[in-house]
Amino acid sequence: MNLERLQYSFIKELERKNTKICAADYGVDAARFQAFVYQLQKDGYISNVHLAPDSGLDLKKAEITYTGMKYLAEHFEWIMPYRDAMDRKVWIEQS
């Protein structure tokens, strides 16, 4: 899995106000996805991610930080390919 593309996809989905993103969308198990999202928060790309009552992630108040917006801008060449991708998982796997 291309970690840079996965980061881009997650941040981009938050930018689109998609707060229902889940592990199944990316084909990873829930624990790995949760660890990935918390790492994004720890690294300063996103903020306000909390554990939901069902042990999932509560992204309703999640925000993209300046660092996250900068990351999207640095990967501007992915804007159109990502938008046009029929399947996020396939796009993420591409090199």
Side-chain angles (χ1 to χ4, degrees):
M1 182 170 281
N2 186 320
L3 184 60
E4 286 186 321
R5 285 180 178 236
L6 178 61
Q7 289 178 178
Y8 180 89
S9 176
F10 186 84
I11 296 168
K12 192 67 175 171
E13 291 302 314
L14 282 183
E15 182 185 49
R16 292 176 174 174
K17 306 294 185 210
N18 180 0
T19 59
K20 299 197 184 284
I21 311 164
C22 67
D25 295 335
Y26 296 104
V28 298
D29 66 68
R32 184 174 176 199
F33 183 70
Q34 189 173 351
F36 165 75
V37 173
Y38 280 132
Q39 188 63 47
L40 282 178
Q41 184 165 258
K42 182 179 177 186
D43 293 344
Y45 292 100
I46 60 175
S47 63
N48 295 326
V49 174
H50 304 283
L51 194 59
D54 64 356
S55 297
L57 293 173
D58 180 0
L59 301 173
K60 291 180 187 122
K61 295 182 181 179
E63 296 178 353
I64 304 169
T65 64
Y66 174 77
T67 303
M69 294 303 291
K70 186 176 170 187
Y71 185 83
L72 292 178
E74 288 170 353
H75 293 86
F76 68 91
E77 71 275 6
W78 290 342
I79 291 171
M80 296 303 282
Y82 183 74
R83 188 194 73 186
D84 296 340
M86 298 297 259
D87 184 349
R88 275 185 240 148
K89 289 184 272 188
V90 172
W91 182 83
I92 291 167
E93 293 295 330
Q94 295 173 345
S95 299

